[in-house]
Amino acid sequence: MSTATAIAAEGELDAAYREFDRKLRIRYLTVADLVCLVFFPLGSLLEFFVYPDRVLDFLAIRLGVDLILLAFVLTLVFGKDRCNLFSVKVLGVLSALVVNFSMCLMIFLTEGAKSPYYAGLNTVFLIMATLLPWTFWETALVCAASLAAYFIACFAHPGFGTPDSLSIFASNLFFIILTTVICVTSTYFLTRGRFEDFRLRHQLDVQNQKLQDMDRLKTQFFSNVSHELRTPLTLILGPVETLLSRSDLLEGRVHDSLILIHRNTLRLLKLINDLLDLTRLDQGVDILRKKPIELGIFVKGVVESVRHLGLSKQLRMRVEDGDAGVAVIADSGRLEKVLINLLTNAIKYTPAGGAITVRWNGDAEGAAIEVSDTGVGIPPEDLGKVFDRFHQVRSNASNQNQGVGIGLALAKELVEQHGGTLEVESVVGKGTTFRIRLPAGVATEELPQITVDQDPEFASAEEPFEKAFRSADRSWSHTEGTDTELPMVGSGENVVLVADDENDMRRYIVSLLSEDYRIVQTPRGDNVSDLVAEHEPELVLLDWMMPGKDGLSVCRELRSDDSNRDLKIILLTARIDEKSKIDALQSGADDFLTKPFSSIEVKTRAANLLRAARLQRDLRTRNTELRETLEKLQRTETMLIQSEKMNAIGSLSAGLLHEINNPLNYTLTAISFAKQFKDSLGPEMMEIIADIEEGMVRIRDVITDLKHFAYPEKPGSETVFRLEEVFQAARKIIGKEIEDVRLDVDLPPSLVVRGQRTQLTHLFINLLSNAGKALAAHASNGIKTITVRATAEADDRVTIEVWDNGPGIPEDILNRVFEPFFTTREVGSGMGMGLSICHTIVESHQGSMRVANRPEGGAIFTINLPLAEEALKLC
């Protein structure tokens, strides 16, 4: 608010408060003066007992005061419009001072300070503080002047100055001053409270006036818009109906499109008619053109005009004749609108096979029309709201009937305009009855026998399009077959699912997309997920408001399933606010279509989203291929590293074997030669020679195994061998490292595999070595054990398990143990290639390898390899 506006508003508030204060003062001062006029002369009764000799004198004073107060009252009553605020304030102050001065005069004429009349001053002060709307300064002025008059009356009295008079004077003065302080203080706060209360009420009045002005402008706007829309809509209906009358010359798709246009134009026209009637009622316009109507003929005509709607739902519509000759004074057009609204509602909410009954009767007090159905009924919590504007009753979860909630509200107001009432009774699951009560009409002997369609009112020149408007009142949209499966239509590579509970909207979208795509359609939201799982569409178009489950909930449900990550979703809604768009996008929608939308927009957005989905799938495929290629490169790199390592080991081993083989042969030859002299060497020496020979033989066997390891098979050269053989070879090579560990081995001899012996030996070496190092680092008092088990499976494969009773592998690195170069050991204690090479060796043998921790403790490696044909024969 600008400064000038604020100043103007403050000035307006101040002026309004001054006027309010003036009127309030006049009213309260008049009452106060009238009270004094009545009760002040009655004080003579007090003088009769206290100062009997002063009764006549004081009565004259009291009557004189009454004359002055009467003059004030007459001025206030007859001149209140001419009295300004200042003059009213002056009259108020003078009224109080006249009374107080007269009281002080009587104090002087009696006993001065000892006179009991000082209490009258306190009474006047209290009346001022509670009854008169005085300000702080007015109250202070009256109190000060009254105190001065009291001082003068006491000091001027001849008896003032005696000890008893001074003590009484001090006592009286204390109470008078205390009363004045209370009165002045309370007046101050009462004045502020009175102004604040007025300010709030004034602000509320201003806001209320603005709201009334806005409501009046809104009503006028709706009225003007409704008038302006009726003409173009009617002019649309005319050509469409003309084209439909020549349907034999139209293509099937064109005819269906015209039917769609005609039905929805009538629907829009009906809504505009209802809104226009509501705005007229809000403006207080008398929209009724009453005349005598014979009720029986009228009701039958209206029911016959909508009977085809009931037949479309296989409903039985029955009219029960009432008393003959019942007539009412009513507007036939408005009463027809009420009755049609009740009938179409009954048709909407009555399941197929139900019944609708219309009956009427009359008596001396009036007439009644009842519309009963066997429909779903109205819940008790909604029964009191059915006639509220814009309230829509949800009779059951599957309610799909369209509307904005003004039909019954308008019907009730139209009936009340006729001086009647509209009542409703309902039981959920059994049905509903609406009852129209109208005041009594006239006798029907002289009434013309006309039907509704022959009513001359509708042929008047004032409303040339009334026939179209009446057709619109009879139009309604019903969604049929909500539980039946709709057929799949269209052709194309892509599948699109359309979910919309409005038949016309769904058919329109399907007709647009069926040329290019295969369309799955449903009028509900709670079966969308099942249809997506069954038909696997690439695109889903969801209406926001659907029975069973709304579009947002369906969208969240679809997005929660990872298998729908490529699914594209478009939400359809008539909402245009930003929050709705944000809610839709946050729920997982890819796009948002606001009604109304063009056919080109729907097709373009659908094509763009499907193209994006196809690109995402292609990109995911490329990423998968790249990932697989990268994994192959990593495996190739690992095998190259292994090959280089094996070559290096082979070269080193070849040199060592050559150097060790000669002294080994010399030693064995020498032992053989020495054994020839066993008779001369003695038992102890021969035992030593036997020990040396045993050691040399073991060295020779190890060297033999190293030779096989150092000179492996060429790549691609596979042999058939027993698992037990390669394990024993690995055990000999690694024997020193695990000499303190108990080996529990169960490798049946029948388990034969095909592959490269050296690589599988290397596999067992690595596994045994790792297990031994883990057990050596594990502080335990129990027996350190490594267990090796192998069993043949039903799928012609063998499962090998190697586990220990050590500490196991930490869970955070369990899934990384097969990564190349990953190690938890200190620098120089390993390259992190052992388990990675083992994994590569197993995969190269068409097998698999995994690792886990045992609940009892320790790590377990599980290897799965194919059995050779020889093993299968043995099995």
Side-chain angles (χ1 to χ4, degrees), residues 690-705:
D691 292 339
I692 294 173
E693 183 181 19
E694 182 182 357
M696 292 298 103
V697 170
R698 288 186 61 190
I699 293 173
R700 183 188 62 190
D701 292 340
V702 170
I703 289 175
T704 301
D705 290 335

Side-chain angles (χ1 to χ4, degrees), residues 83-105:
C83 293
N84 57 26
L85 180 60
F86 177 75
S87 61
V88 174
K89 288 182 178 181
V90 171
L91 288 176
V93 171
L94 291 177
S95 296
L97 291 179
V98 166
V99 175
N100 282 350
F101 285 169
S102 66
M103 298 294 295
C104 291
L105 176 60

Side-chain angles (χ1 to χ4, degrees), residues 226-234 269 272-273 276 463 469:
S226 299
H227 273 294
E228 293 300 321
L229 288 177
R230 292 177 89 189
T231 299
L233 283 174
T234 308
L269 188 57
I272 290 174
N273 287 341
L276 182 58
E463 193 60 274
F469 298 157

Side-chain angles (χ1 to χ4, degrees), residues 73 119 149 165 180 196 226 313 342 463 493 574 700 703 748 779 857:
V73 170
S165 65
T180 59
E196 183 64 20
S226 299
K313 282 193 66 180
L342 299 182
E463 193 60 274
E493 179 183 353
R700 183 188 62 190
I703 289 175

